Amino acid sequence: MFSFSIFNSLVPIFSALFVVVLASQVMGKLFSRIQLPLISGFLCMGIISGPFVLNFISAESVNQLRFLDKSTLAFIAFAAGAELELQVIRGYFRSIISSIGGQTIAILGIGSAAFFLIKEHVPFMSTLSQGELFAVALLGSTIMVARSPSSALGIIKELRAKGPFTHKVLGITVLTDAVVIIVFAVSVSLAEVLVKGEHFNVFLLAFVSIEILLDAGVGILIGLLLRTILLLPTQLLKEAFILLIGLGVFWLSKQLHHLHLLSLPISLFSEPLLICLIAGFYMTNFTSRAAEFHHIIERMSPTIFLLFFTLVGLELQLFVVLEAWQIILVLVCVRTVAIFIGCLIGDIIVQDRTSGNSLLTLGFITQAGISIGLAKEIGIEFDAWGPDLASLSIGVVVLNQLIGPPLLKWVIHHVGESHTRADSPDFDGIRDVIIFGVESQSVALAKQLESHNWNVVLAGRNQQVIEQMKDEPINIVRLPEMSESALQDLNLRAADSILLMLSDEENLVLCELIYEKFGIENVIVRLHDRANFEEFHQLGALAIEPSTAMVNLLDQFVRFPFAATLLLGMDPTEEFMEIEVKNPDLNRVAIRHIHFPSDVLILSIYRQGNRLDSHGYTRLELGDHVAVVGSPDSLAEVEVRFEG
């Protein structure tokens, strides 16, 4: 009965959270349209729905969702550790280490001084003892060191950013959080000594070292457990267990907190985020399952980021920000200046004059995730003033989270390392396709497409092969180089579809150029090595492996011979066609109210990248792509009707 009552109490909370998360997704898309990061939209919707604005989800309900907060936070730490690829870091190792060192020292020094200077203006600090003030300054400045790998990863993935600046920003951001977790473990141990007024114990450093080594050992064990989890049969089970393991790490950390070593009067401090970070690092660098682990992280990240930043918004205590906004603004400015000085020190040490270094500061403003997690732990560790310091620190994190992501997005655009899809060209009324690769299959395909009234261009790299095909009644041209200018000479922006039939390496270069410079949505790739599938998939291309495609085709012939015959155009009386709705008279009109020829069947409707299962009450909208089947004459009639 007790468990049933708990279940009943959670149902409305999860229902409300589901609604808020859906609204966050919409808000994120709206923010993206005005060139702001998706995560900023998630955060804002969480704030609006939370207990301090609309109170759609109350403070009590937020407390009952803590386990989701911990599970998603652990996942982000797994993902951050997984991004620490030794192969990438080695190329920028000296710059990364010097910058982290410079920033950590500058922020700890300048941040601690700032806390002492503002103590008279912060109510909870004005009554503290000297030892407690040192503890507050140490812990507060430590949180200021923290970054937001989740935000950086979210924006970098959104922009598909890559290049020296991006590698340095990501490497410094992720490694800084690894460093700050270690510094935080040391700071908490020192703060406990300062608060209790005890003399510094020489064994304290050894004790802290044991804590860090213990976390590292547990992190490797968790990494081994993750590797075992990847042997499970289904994707859903793997994802569920990764989240459960993350939640279990927080539980384990709490149990370790009750242990005492070396007879010291302080408890063992275990940092769950450091454990998860090391586990992710171990998985990506020391196991054969790194590629699969990265694939799962990529697959889960959008949903986790959406849920996590929505929860962060729900938990933000706006009254703290409003009451102490002047102090928070001062601390944000102090932190920004300290980051700038730290970056400058790092550049001077290694004499790094790489383009974009002057703007590195703007890449490190954002805070979230681990920063909030550490702030919450302070509130738990130090009952007297911990919650007040946690709220003040979270206020700083809130402001940094609001201004940081847009700055990072701007600076990546500014240094030219963003690789987003170009705007798709408008349909010019003529169906054009460009096929890259001249061979017997591409020539046969070109002839078949021309028989269906498509304008076809074959583009090849080998002049000798092109000469051999000169008698074919097909427009064949030579592609002198794989560059933007060469593709412009082919009038690529007029193409409705692109088919890539070169080597995987050449296809990938072309796919990148088409994605970033021309925005053609329908790109089909003939794949040679299935290991390259994910790279093409990330570029929105439809990758087809010939051997797998043939097996699937034969399977369809065995199980659904009529449908397979229809699909391949083997029935001369039936054809497939995809038509875009452009006729304004059909906007918002239900399919059941439109007269179609008797032999025409609507198969599905694609709207904004999503497939809709159509029925009589489905209303068409301008821009819908409608897949229909019927006789050629009837389809021509429907095409005229839909396109107006």
Side-chain angles (χ1 to χ4, degrees):
M1 180 63 70
F2 175 72
S3 59
F4 186 72
S5 63
I6 293 176
F7 177 77
N8 281 341
S9 66
L10 287 177
V11 167
I13 296 174
F14 277 112
S15 300
L17 179 63
F18 180 73
V19 172
V20 172
V21 168
L22 289 179
S24 290
Q25 191 172 29
V26 174
M27 181 71 82
K29 291 179 180 179
L30 291 175
F31 270 55
S32 181
R33 288 180 184 177
I34 57 175
Q35 303 303 310
L36 289 174
L38 288 167
I39 57 178
S40 297
F42 305 157
L43 189 71
C44 284
M45 181 50 68
I47 293 173
I48 293 170
S49 307
F52 304 103
V53 182
L54 296 180
N55 198 30
F56 186 73
I57 296 181
S58 65
E60 293 77 13
S61 299
V62 170
N63 288 330
Q64 291 181 277
L65 296 171
R66 294 288 185 195
F67 72 96
L68 286 177
D69 192 25
K70 292 177 181 178
S71 187
T72 53
L73 192 57
F75 174 87
I76 289 170
F78 286 144
E83 290 296 327
L84 291 174
E85 295 185 47
L86 291 175
Q87 295 179 0
V88 176
I89 294 173
R90 285 194 186 102
Y92 306 95
F93 189 73
R94 291 180 67 248
S95 296
I96 289 173
I97 294 301
S98 62
S99 183
I100 290 173
Q103 290 183 55
T104 302
I105 293 170
I107 294 173
L108 287 175
I110 297 173
S112 296
F115 271 97
F116 272 98
L117 292 174
I118 65 172
K119 64 180 181 180
E120 298 299 331
H121 303 283
V122 182
F124 81 90
M125 291 180 64
S126 58
T127 58
L128 298 180
S129 65
Q130 195 70 12
E132 289 174 322
L133 281 174
F134 272 108
V136 168
L138 180 62
L139 293 171
S141 58
T142 299
I143 293 177
M144 292 169 70
V145 175
R147 302 285 186 265
S148 176
S150 54
S151 299
L153 279 170
I155 291 168
I156 287 170
K157 291 182 185 302
E158 179 184 343
L159 299 179
R160 296 187 62 256
K162 57 185 176 182
F165 182 87
T166 302
H167 286 314
K168 278 203 280 190
V169 166
L170 186 58
I172 292 170
T173 298
V174 175
L175 277 176
T176 297
D177 268 10
V179 170
V180 80
I181 291 172
I182 296 172
V183 173
F184 184 75
V186 176
S187 298
V188 168
S189 299
L190 289 173
E192 287 182 341
V193 173
L194 292 169
V195 168
K196 294 175 181 177
E198 298 170 357
H199 296 292
F200 183 79
N201 193 322
V202 71
F203 292 105
L204 180 62
L205 292 179
F207 185 84
V208 172
S209 300
I210 291 173
E211 292 177 333
I212 294 171
L213 288 174
L214 178 63
D215 284 347
V218 174
I220 293 173
L221 290 176
I222 296 297
L224 291 170
L225 182 58
L226 288 173
R227 186 178 66 177
T228 305
I229 290 300
L230 296 186
L231 298 175
L232 290 172
T234 65
Q235 193 79 8
L236 185 61
L237 277 176
K238 294 175 186 178
E239 295 174 357
F241 272 99
I242 287 174
L243 294 177
L244 286 174
I245 289 171
L247 187 60
V249 170
F250 274 86
W251 176 86
L252 178 63
S253 178
K254 186 176 180 180
Q255 302 308 309
L256 291 174
H257 186 74
H258 298 298
L259 294 178
H260 295 264
L261 297 180
L262 305 178
S263 301
L264 289 175
I266 52 179
S267 59
L268 183 66
F269 179 79
S270 176
E271 176 48 62
L273 298 179
L274 178 59
I275 293 172
C276 294
L277 197 75
I278 291 172
F281 176 78
Y282 175 81
M283 276 295 299
T284 202
N285 290 287
F286 300 104
T287 72
S288 59
R289 297 275 178 172
E292 184 180 0
F293 188 64
H294 274 276
H295 176 70
I296 293 175
I297 293 292
E298 290 278 347
R299 177 186 170 94
M300 295 177 66
S301 288
T303 303
I304 296 297
F305 288 154
L306 172 62
L307 180 58
F308 174 75
F309 284 104
T310 301
L311 288 170
V312 169
L314 288 170
E315 295 173 6
L316 290 180
Q317 301 179 16
L318 283 186
F319 69 90
V320 175
V321 180
L322 297 175
E323 288 178 359
W325 69 270
Q326 293 171 315
I327 299 299
I328 290 171
L329 186 60
V330 168
L331 291 175
V332 168
C333 292
V334 167
R335 179 176 178 270
T336 303
V337 171
I339 291 173
F340 176 77
I341 293 173
C343 288
L344 189 61
I345 292 171
D347 289 343
I348 292 172
I349 291 173
V350 297
Q351 297 182 346
D352 187 358
R353 295 179 175 83
T354 305
S355 175
N357 274 4
S358 59
L359 297 172
L360 268 176
T361 302
L362 300 181
F364 305 129
I365 303 298
T366 304
Q367 283 188 291
I370 288 176
S371 311
I372 294 174
L374 298 180
K376 289 177 180 177
E377 289 186 26
I378 289 175
I380 296 171
E381 290 290 323
F382 303 94
D383 296 334
W385 42 263
D388 293 315
L389 177 59
S391 296
L392 183 64
S393 298
I394 288 175
V396 175
V397 171
V398 172
L399 190 53
N400 284 326
Q401 180 61 22
L402 291 175
I403 65 176
L407 287 174
L408 177 57
K409 188 170 183 176
W410 175 84
V411 75
I412 289 176
H413 276 303
H414 184 75
V415 299
E417 293 188 3
S418 63
H419 298 275
T420 54
R421 186 195 287 273
D423 294 333
S424 300
D426 295 327
F427 180 55
D428 59 3
I430 302 173
R431 299 193 181 278
D432 300 278
V433 59
I434 299 178
I435 303 174
F436 290 88
V438 179
E439 56 183 68
S440 57
Q441 281 189 349
S442 61
V443 170
L445 176 61
K447 291 178 179 178
Q448 187 164 330
L449 286 170
E450 284 193 339
S451 70
H452 290 283
N453 300 318
W454 279 72
N455 184 24
V456 184
V457 174
L458 275 178
R461 300 274 290 153
N462 191 319
Q463 182 62 41
Q464 184 177 357
V465 174
I466 294 174
E467 288 293 331
Q468 293 173 356
M469 299 287 184
K470 63 181 180 180
D471 294 332
E472 296 288 348
I474 302 292
N475 183 12
I476 304 177
V477 299
R478 183 173 180 270
L479 182 68
E481 58 182 5
M482 290 185 291
S483 64
E484 182 181 356
S485 59
L487 296 181
Q488 286 176 341
D489 291 340
L490 289 176
N491 194 23
L492 199 75
R493 287 197 65 83
D496 301 288
S497 297
I498 304 291
L499 179 58
L500 304 177
M501 300 179 69
L502 302 171
S503 68
D504 282 356
E505 292 76 16
E506 291 173 314
N507 286 341
L508 188 58
V509 172
L510 289 172
C511 206
E512 289 269 5
L513 284 170
I514 293 166
Y515 183 92
E516 296 172 21
K517 305 300 181 183
F518 299 92
I520 309 298
E521 292 186 358
N522 191 32
V523 179
I524 303 101
V525 181
R526 185 182 63 184
L527 200 61
H528 293 274
D529 186 351
R530 186 164 179 78
N532 299 320
F533 175 86
E534 191 62 34
E535 292 181 277
F536 290 107
H537 179 69
Q538 290 176 0
L539 293 167
L542 176 61
I544 300 173
E545 187 182 16
S547 59
T548 305
M550 180 57 69
V551 171
N552 290 336
L553 180 60
L554 293 174
D555 173 65
Q556 293 299 311
F557 265 114
V558 171
R559 294 189 296 135
F560 313 109
F562 174 74
T565 303
L566 192 64
L567 177 63
L568 293 180
M570 299 172 70
D571 184 348
T573 64
E574 301 282 355
E575 284 187 6
F576 280 98
M577 181 177 285
E578 186 176 299
I579 310 171
E580 183 179 353
V581 179
K582 296 182 178 181
N583 188 348
D585 294 335
L586 297 181
N587 190 36
R588 304 302 302 165
V589 175
I591 291 176
R592 64 196 297 265
H593 295 146
I594 303 173
H595 173 70
F596 291 101
S598 58
D599 61 344
V600 169
L601 176 65
I602 293 182
L603 301 177
S604 62
I605 299 173
Y606 291 84
R607 181 176 298 163
Q608 297 178 351
N610 299 313
R611 189 180 73 177
L612 308 178
D613 292 326
S614 59
H615 49 75
Y617 293 94
T618 303
R619 295 181 180 274
L620 297 176
E621 292 185 6
L622 292 177
D624 283 353
H625 287 259
V626 184
V628 293
V629 62
S631 66
D633 291 341
S634 296
L635 290 182
E637 180 182 335
V638 174
E639 184 177 19
V640 171
R641 181 80 181 277
F642 276 18
E643 296 186 350

